Amino acid sequence: MCSFVRIHRLLFLLFLCLLSACSSAPKRVMLVSDVTNAAYSQLDEANKRIIEGNYVRAYNLLTGAYKRALSVDNAGLLCKISLSGVVLKISNPSLPEGNPDAEEEDDGFPSGSFLDLPVESIMSQAEKFARRSDSSERAFLESLCLVYEVRMLLESERVSSGAGGVSNPSSYLSKLDSVKKTVSKEPYYYAHLWRTQGDVFMASGRYLDAQKSFAEAAKIHTKERYLVEIGLDWYCIARSYSMAGRKSDALLAIQTALKYDRDAENSTGIAADYKAYAKILLKGTPSEEDKKLAEELAAWSEKILEARM
């Protein structure tokens, strides 16, 4: 009888343990984000490759990210990918266009990508995705589209004018000001807004205002550790100082750009920095020493480009 009671108690305790284990088991996940996370990772790397001038790699990454985002119907992510596509098309106008059915391209770009569309169509696509996105992010994405639209229109106007100027910079600046508060919620895109504003100021001859805007972008990128972006910010700062006639400030800025581009192992950026360094040295009335150094730096820039992996 005693033995039976012990067995009964043992079974009861075992039942309690099993019940406790079942109650403490983790609940099933109600949100899966594996594909979305992979697409965001590709988007992030693509943005870096655009800065580095590796357009073939950026094209491939954005194409892959777009397909992933499309497969899970993520309109917000599709909007951001499309906006990076706008920047890629602006950065490299020689990208293939209007040939989505070709099996293979001689220039290294695959076929069948949303990037085969004209830049205006990609911009329009981004705006549609913004309107289709969740209500929680719609205002942000629509504001972001306005920033990239300014970028696209600014570049188009500079190319068509030939002189690099713009006819109505105040309209661009007004648009950017109207969305600053909304875009500020995401540092990467907020910094892009400041850089775009700097480019508007540069195109309108307001070089010191441009320097302040580029400095704001650099501040954000540095705080958020977007290493490859910081070098470009300081390159822009150097250019604005140079155009304003502040040679010594421009030289310090381009040396800072070199520091960050080296840290990022951005070969294209380093080469561009050395080329700009040489041009700045020749500003005004350069000494013979400056002329010699400028020649050496320009030659070194070419060697770096030749040695790119």
Side-chain angles (χ1 to χ4, degrees):
M1 180 68 179
C2 186
S3 175
F4 174 79
V5 172
R6 286 175 182 169
I7 293 172
H8 182 74
R9 285 178 178 174
L10 182 61
L11 290 173
F12 180 71
L13 289 172
L14 182 60
F15 173 75
L16 287 178
C17 288
L18 288 172
L19 187 64
S20 174
C22 290
S23 63
S24 62
K27 294 182 179 179
R28 289 185 178 87
V29 176
M30 292 297 288
L31 179 66
V32 177
S33 56
D34 294 346
V35 175
T36 297
N37 289 339
Y40 265 115
S41 179
Q42 286 183 303
L43 173 60
D44 184 54
E45 187 181 349
N47 288 332
K48 294 177 184 176
R49 299 300 170 241
I50 293 171
I51 294 294
E52 295 172 353
N54 190 343
Y55 300 126
V56 172
R57 180 63 178 153
Y59 181 104
N60 294 339
L61 287 163
L62 287 179
T63 299
Y66 187 96
K67 289 179 179 178
R68 280 191 163 92
L70 179 60
S71 74
V72 293
D73 193 29
N74 191 325
L77 179 52
L78 283 166
C79 176
K80 291 179 178 179
I81 294 167
S82 297
L83 292 175
S84 288
V86 168
V87 175
L88 177 58
K89 296 284 280 194
I90 291 171
S91 302
N92 185 15
S94 64
L95 279 172
E97 189 170 292
N99 190 24
D101 297 323
E103 293 183 2
E104 187 175 4
E105 300 290 343
D106 294 333
D107 55 11
F109 292 99
S111 62
S113 169
F114 78 103
L115 290 163
D116 295 333
L117 296 169
V119 65
E120 295 83 4
S121 298
I122 299 173
M123 187 70 241
S124 177
Q125 192 177 65
E127 292 167 346
K128 290 178 182 178
F129 287 135
R131 290 192 293 270
R132 282 190 50 224
S133 63
D134 294 339
S135 57
S136 60
E137 61 176 350
R138 191 173 303 139
F140 168 77
L141 291 172
E142 288 179 340
S143 297
L144 197 58
C145 285
L146 193 61
V147 175
Y148 280 75
E149 182 185 41
V150 168
R151 166 70 63 188
M152 181 187 71
L153 294 174
L154 174 66
E155 189 62 27
S156 176
E157 192 171 353
R158 288 197 299 191
V159 171
S160 62
S161 69
V166 290
S167 59
N168 190 14
S170 60
S171 66
Y172 293 148
L173 295 171
S174 178
K175 287 179 181 180
L176 295 175
D177 283 337
S178 71
V179 296
K180 274 182 181 175
K181 184 176 180 180
T182 306
V183 175
S184 66
K185 63 182 285 186
E186 289 198 25
Y188 176 83
Y189 292 106
Y190 193 39
H192 184 80
L193 184 153
W194 282 105
R195 188 188 286 162
T196 301
Q197 179 175 284
D199 284 338
V200 174
F201 281 134
M202 286 295 291
S204 56
R206 296 169 59 179
Y207 303 123
L208 293 181
D209 286 329
Q211 182 273 324
K212 292 175 184 176
S213 296
F214 294 137
E216 285 295 325
K219 188 187 303 181
I220 296 167
H221 283 140
T222 303
K223 181 180 178 182
E224 300 297 327
R225 306 176 76 84
Y226 286 107
L227 183 59
V228 75
E229 301 279 352
I230 306 171
L232 177 56
D233 292 330
W234 279 98
Y235 175 92
C236 292
I237 290 171
R239 180 168 171 261
S240 59
Y241 272 138
S242 179
M243 294 297 290
R246 292 173 55 168
K247 183 174 179 177
S248 59
D249 289 327
L251 288 171
L252 289 174
I254 201 63
Q255 289 166 8
T256 304
L258 265 169
K259 185 267 183 199
Y260 282 111
D261 279 326
R262 286 197 196 103
D263 289 348
E265 294 190 340
N266 180 4
S267 299
T268 304
I270 295 169
D273 293 338
Y274 274 120
K275 190 173 182 179
Y277 199 158
K279 288 183 177 179
I280 294 168
L281 284 169
L282 296 176
K283 286 272 186 173
T285 53
S287 64
E288 288 302 315
E289 185 179 350
D290 285 343
K291 291 178 182 178
K292 182 180 178 181
L293 179 57
E295 186 177 349
E296 291 173 357
L297 293 178
W300 190 244
S301 172
E302 293 300 320
K303 286 184 177 294
I304 290 171
L305 288 175
E306 291 170 4
R308 280 183 305 177
M309 301 298 291

